[in-house]
Amino acid sequence: MIGTKRHGNAVFGRKADQVLNGAWRIFLRDGYAGAAVDDIVRSAGVSKATLYAYFPDKRLLFETAMQNVLGGDRTQPFADIGKDLPAEKAVPRITAAMTAWLRSDRETDLFRIAIGEANRFPDIAATYHERIETLLEQPLRDHIDGFVNRGELVVDDVALAARQLIGLCGLTFYDRAISGPALETEMPVKRTAETAATMFLRAYGAGIDQQSRQPDKSENGAMSSR
């Protein structure tokens, strides 16, 4: 549900919230260009006069609905995982929380519409990316910094490592956002999260020195025998 009290100098109440909630359902279904005013007022259960009293044009309505959803629930998905937890225990918990969060209907809807309308509404796309930075990237960098400082991981570029882990957790998320639930991969959340954690720890684990991560070759380019 969308809740808002103020836009510019206008004070909103329950009726405006009703309009925004109805509009949001139609924008999710049809996108900005495909959303018809008749469908919006029907979904919201209001008259056109009421709609236009709050939002004189569809662009303002879309921007307000999107900004309110993006600025609404900002619960960090792995906030309950302590930064003192060792990497081998923390990373699987982080990937489980992050994968489930990314695969939720809410996040799938937000990604699809924010990125799908990015050319027409670049400020909304920027707000979406800032939200991901705040809720995922920055907290993840803080965790990784702790792992590195304790000697548990070897990471040269913490920001890149954080984005890589988010990408691993979001592989099936992108399928779902682009193709819809009917065509998404069948890989379950648990397996996606476990695979992401395993790959990340193997890539950056301090127990594996950097030389051992590269093929051992002799001077002529052949693999050396052991």
Side-chain angles (χ1 to χ4, degrees):
M1 297 291 287
I2 299 172
T4 184
K5 295 301 180 186
R6 185 176 297 275
H7 180 77
N9 293 323
V11 177
F12 286 177
R14 282 185 294 177
K15 185 62 70 174
D17 289 344
Q18 185 177 334
V19 172
L20 288 169
N21 283 318
W24 176 242
R25 289 190 291 270
I26 300 304
F27 287 135
L28 281 179
R29 189 189 72 187
D30 300 336
Y32 172 77
V37 171
D38 286 343
D39 289 339
I40 291 172
V41 297
R42 188 178 302 113
S43 175
V46 299
S47 66
K48 285 186 180 180
T50 298
L51 172 65
Y52 289 127
Y54 288 103
F55 304 100
D57 60 73
K58 189 171 74 170
R59 185 180 185 89
L60 175 61
L61 177 58
F62 180 81
E63 290 174 332
T64 306
M66 282 296 299
Q67 293 293 354
N68 273 277
V69 173
L70 289 169
D73 182 9
R74 289 215 165 199
T75 304
Q76 202 272 313
F78 46 91
D80 61 337
I81 300 174
K83 291 186 173 63
D84 58 342
L85 204 64
E88 64 179 9
K89 294 183 180 297
V91 171
R93 291 181 59 183
I94 289 170
T95 58
M98 193 156 54
T99 302
W101 186 83
L102 286 167
R103 282 277 291 273
S104 68
D105 290 342
R106 176 186 174 85
E107 294 308 315
T108 301
D109 290 340
L110 280 175
F111 173 81
R112 186 175 65 247
I113 195 165
I115 302 307
E117 300 292 350
N119 288 336
R120 188 180 282 112
F121 297 95
D123 289 346
I124 287 174
T127 300
Y128 175 82
H129 284 293
E130 183 274 329
R131 181 174 178 272
I132 296 299
E133 163 76 17
T134 300
L135 298 183
L136 296 184
E137 289 189 23
Q138 185 56 60
L140 192 51
R141 290 198 296 267
D142 292 342
H143 275 279
I144 295 172
D145 278 333
F147 303 148
V148 172
N149 291 337
R150 293 195 298 268
E152 298 166 1
L153 298 183
V154 178
V155 182
D156 294 327
D157 189 332
V158 170
L160 176 61
R163 290 193 295 271
Q164 288 172 334
L165 189 54
I166 293 169
L168 288 171
C169 291
L171 287 176
T172 56
F173 160 72
Y174 300 120
D175 291 340
R176 191 168 193 266
I178 294 170
S179 303
L183 298 179
E184 70 175 310
T185 176
E186 293 300 320
M187 181 180 288
V189 170
K190 186 173 185 288
R191 183 181 171 195
T192 301
E194 290 174 346
T195 301
T198 299
M199 292 178 68
F200 186 81
L201 290 171
R202 285 180 179 174
Y204 291 112
I208 305 175
D209 61 43
Q210 297 294 331
Q211 184 175 359
S212 70
R213 298 177 190 182
Q214 303 298 325
D216 183 15
K217 296 181 180 179
S218 62
E219 290 184 358
N220 62 9
M223 297 296 292
S224 62
S225 60
R226 292 186 181 274

